[in-house]
Amino acid sequence: MSISPKSIIVTGASRGIGRATTLQLLQHFNSNVVAVARSGKDLNDLKLYVEKDLGLKGKLEIVEGDLTENKVVEQVVQKSLDTWGSLDGIIANAGVLGPGKIADTNVQDWKRGFDVNFFSVITLFQKAIPHLRNSKGRIITVSSGGAFNNYDGWGLYCTSKAGLLMLTNCIASEEPDIIALSILPGVVDTKMQQDVRENGSQYMRPDQHEKYVELYKGKKLVNPELPGYVMAALVSGGATKEMSGKFYDYNDEKLADFQKK
Amino acid sequence: MSISPKSIIVTGASRGIGRATTLQLLQHFNSNVVAVARSGKDLNDLKLYVEKDLGLKGKLEIVEGDLTENKVVEQVVQKSLDTWGSLDGIIANAGVLGPGKIADTNVQDWKRGFDVNFFSVITLFQKAIPHLRNSKGRIITVSSGGAFNNYDGWGLYCTSKAGLLMLTNCIASEEPDIIALSILPGVVDTKMQQDVRENGSQYMRPDQHEKYVELYKGKKLVNPELPGYVMAALVSGGATKEMSGKFYDYNDEKLADFQKK
């Protein structure tokens, strides 16, 4: 059976989970990817790696920009349509930690954090929905344990991830032609974790901070390829209607068919 | 045992759950209340009722204003301090439904809705925290089934209530001197329910809309006095440290000691 390539938008694609998911989509799922991030240099490095080292040409488009700007969101959606004629899926991964205790932060910082973690996702969904309806497309939002359990100093992150999880459920219910679900990628070896280890003691509860330091020391952090592979498998065709509106740990046994062997 | 009156801020106090909680605080818990809402007329009517009909003078201060404006939040906190010398509690009740499916709404409307349902609460907490630490005060946020389960067309409401629930957990954990919890008031006979019955068919799933129409027809809507009484009892002294960071249905048997007999 030949499956025509799916065209997928990945946000926050310059590093970490977004970059890993992009690479899994290109290497293992024959997908086309529009990779968007704020760091043009990292995106250019990614494109060079994909074209030179992996020898995959014409499969990756990059957009340098801030998704909190409407025109960047429009550009990203249009890039997929113009280049490949369709939009089949979204990996909504971009997010910031924006740390600080409620008492010590400024509500303007919360609003800016929500612009990145939450409102830009709404804008992206709104621009993408007509095309995802056409393609019977798929949306995966990158969730977190922080959507369920609070951590001191992570109020912005936890509240915006709680909102994003609910937003995913809403999309799943409101849009019968689109499959939408959330994946919890575990504690992944990313720049965000490095920030937590190096700066988290300033605002986190000591036991909560120590947990992350110990995971790192014990080499227990998850390789981003693993949740990246699962999300790539799901967004490029694996996610079924029955999964829509649900959330899964990337290593949930229910997802065994989609996990890297 | 004589307990000195507690000074409580109630937001969205001009009608519905906020008004009912204000009245329960004044009538049954000897509290002082700063009632804030956008409708000055309704607040004036409330004050007249409290002073003339209930004969309670000097117990209610009203502030007409929009809590999405920092200066209104500051004014509300200052009113409690200036009038009664302390701030002992907050009922964070103000909220809007802001209906519409994700595909049919504008992200600016979501941001305005979050300003009311979520960000204004952060600002209020930030201004109030130093005083609530001093008084070992209490915060009750008014939650909803919508914080846990999505309803078509209620994306803004459900996501902001999910965020507010998490925010309450964060405050409870970050502020050991403050007790913070969420109460689910049930499906209450309020203006918001009237809006849902009259206009909800435009954007809701028919079965979800019908549920609310039937609750009304069957006289099953909750009298706002009932959750109002529970929240008044809890915020004015009943809520214990063990409750902090949790959420309860107003009619949960664990709250039996605080329910209207």
Side-chain angles (χ1 to χ4, degrees):
Chain A
M1 189 174 75
S2 145
I3 299 171
S4 61
K6 303 283 183 173
S7 301
I8 312 294
I9 291 169
V10 180
T11 74
S14 61
R15 64 190 195 199
I17 296 170
R19 186 176 189 278
T21 308
T22 298
L23 289 172
Q24 301 301 309
L25 278 164
L26 294 169
Q27 291 180 280
H28 301 292
F29 299 95
N30 186 33
S31 299
N32 305 313
V33 178
V34 179
V36 56
R38 283 178 293 189
S39 165
K41 185 191 172 305
D42 290 344
L43 285 177
N44 282 316
D45 289 350
L46 175 63
K47 192 166 171 70
L48 207 65
Y49 174 72
V50 166
E51 296 189 347
K52 287 275 174 70
D53 294 36
L54 302 183
L56 294 167
K57 289 198 201 300
K59 302 289 284 178
L60 174 65
E61 293 286 334
I62 58 174
V63 175
E64 176 187 353
D66 186 332
L67 286 166
T68 65
E69 296 171 31
N70 271 8
K71 70 176 194 311
V72 173
V73 175
E74 281 166 12
Q75 194 186 343
V76 167
V77 171
Q78 202 57 46
K79 180 70 84 175
S80 182
L81 300 174
D82 290 348
T83 315
W84 298 298
S86 73
L87 173 63
D88 301 293
I90 293 174
I91 301 282
N93 164 69
V96 294
L97 193 58
K101 290 191 183 182
I102 295 163
D104 305 330
T105 50
N106 185 302
V107 76
Q108 290 308 324
D109 295 332
W110 284 69
K111 289 187 183 185
R112 275 190 287 271
F114 264 73
D115 279 347
V116 177
N117 292 7
F118 184 73
F119 294 120
S120 75
V121 184
I122 296 176
T123 307
L124 177 56
F125 288 174
Q126 289 175 332
K127 306 282 184 203
I129 281 172
H131 312 293
L132 292 174
R133 284 176 184 158
N134 282 343
S135 64
K136 312 279 181 194
R138 293 171 174 82
I139 289 170
I140 315 270
T141 58
V142 177
S143 192
S144 162
F148 303 89
N149 302 299
N150 59 294
Y151 293 77
D152 285 14
W154 290 19
L156 189 165
Y157 188 74
C158 293
T159 55
S160 60
K161 285 294 187 184
L164 183 62
L165 185 74
M166 178 59 78
L167 184 74
T168 313
N169 296 346
C170 291
I171 277 276
S173 178
E174 290 181 0
E175 299 296 332
D177 288 336
I178 299 173
I179 293 168
L181 63 148
S182 294
I183 293 292
L184 286 86
V187 184
V188 183
D189 191 6
T190 61
K191 177 76 163 47
M192 191 184 279
Q193 273 299 317
Q194 188 185 337
D195 288 346
V196 167
R197 283 195 304 278
E198 292 175 2
N199 306 310
S201 63
Q202 294 166 35
Y203 52 84
M204 292 178 74
R205 227 170 61 195
D207 62 309
Q208 293 180 337
H209 178 250
E210 190 61 21
K211 178 183 115 177
Y212 292 111
V213 173
E214 289 301 318
L215 283 172
Y216 174 73
K217 283 186 186 165
K219 300 188 192 303
K220 299 270 178 64
L221 292 181
V222 175
N223 182 331
E225 271 188 24
L226 300 180
Y229 186 94
V230 170
M231 293 194 288
L234 292 171
V235 78
S236 65
T240 62
K241 195 70 204 160
E242 290 64 41
M243 295 179 185
S244 200
K246 300 201 172 71
F247 62 86
Y248 301 91
D249 278 307
Y250 82 97
N251 60 354
D252 189 317
E253 61 184 21
K254 293 194 199 83
L255 301 183
D257 291 348
F258 310 103
Q259 287 154 0
K260 201 159 194 170
K261 299 300 181 291
Chain B
M1 188 175 75
S2 147
I3 300 171
S4 62
K6 304 283 183 172
S7 301
I8 312 293
I9 291 169
V10 179
T11 74
S14 62
R15 61 189 197 200
I17 296 170
R19 186 177 189 277
T21 308
T22 297
L23 289 172
Q24 302 302 308
L25 279 164
L26 294 168
Q27 291 181 278
H28 301 292
F29 299 95
N30 186 31
S31 298
N32 305 313
V33 178
V34 179
V36 55
R38 283 177 292 187
S39 164
K41 185 193 171 302
D42 290 343
L43 285 177
N44 282 316
D45 289 350
L46 174 63
K47 192 166 172 68
L48 205 66
Y49 174 71
V50 166
E51 297 190 346
K52 287 274 174 69
D53 294 38
L54 302 183
L56 294 166
K57 288 197 202 297
K59 302 289 284 178
L60 174 66
E61 292 286 335
I62 59 174
V63 175
E64 176 186 354
D66 186 332
L67 287 166
T68 65
E69 295 172 31
N70 272 7
K71 71 175 192 315
V72 173
V73 175
E74 281 165 12
Q75 193 186 344
V76 167
V77 172
Q78 202 57 44
K79 179 70 83 178
S80 182
L81 300 174
D82 289 349
T83 313
W84 298 298
S86 73
L87 174 63
D88 301 292
I90 294 174
I91 301 282
N93 164 69
V96 294
L97 193 59
K101 291 192 181 182
I102 295 164
D104 305 329
T105 50
N106 185 303
V107 76
Q108 291 307 323
D109 294 331
W110 285 68
K111 289 187 183 185
R112 274 190 288 272
F114 264 72
D115 279 346
V116 177
N117 291 8
F118 184 72
F119 294 120
S120 74
V121 184
I122 296 176
T123 307
L124 177 57
F125 287 174
Q126 289 175 333
K127 306 285 183 201
I129 281 172
H131 311 292
L132 292 174
R133 285 176 184 159
N134 282 343
S135 63
K136 312 279 181 195
R138 294 171 173 82
I139 289 170
I140 315 268
T141 59
V142 177
S143 191
S144 162
F148 303 90
N149 302 299
N150 59 294
Y151 292 78
D152 285 15
W154 289 19
L156 189 166
Y157 188 75
C158 292
T159 55
S160 60
K161 285 294 186 183
L164 183 63
L165 186 74
M166 178 60 77
L167 184 75
T168 312
N169 296 346
C170 291
I171 277 276
S173 178
E174 289 181 1
E175 300 296 331
D177 288 336
I178 299 173
I179 292 169
L181 63 149
S182 294
I183 293 292
L184 286 87
V187 183
V188 184
D189 191 7
T190 61
K191 176 76 161 52
M192 191 184 279
Q193 273 299 316
Q194 187 184 338
D195 288 346
V196 167
R197 283 194 305 278
E198 292 175 1
N199 306 311
S201 63
Q202 293 166 34
Y203 52 84
M204 292 178 74
R205 229 171 59 196
D207 62 310
Q208 292 179 338
H209 178 250
E210 190 61 20
K211 179 183 112 177
Y212 292 110
V213 173
E214 289 301 317
L215 283 173
Y216 174 73
K217 283 186 186 167
K219 300 187 192 305
K220 300 270 178 62
L221 292 180
V222 175
N223 182 331
E225 272 188 24
L226 301 179
Y229 186 95
V230 170
M231 294 195 287
L234 291 171
V235 77
S236 65
T240 62
K241 195 70 205 161
E242 290 64 41
M243 295 179 185
S244 200
K246 299 200 172 71
F247 62 86
Y248 301 90
D249 278 307
Y250 83 97
N251 60 354
D252 189 318
E253 61 185 23
K254 293 193 197 83
L255 300 184
D257 290 348
F258 309 103
Q259 287 154 0
K260 200 160 193 169
K261 298 299 183 291

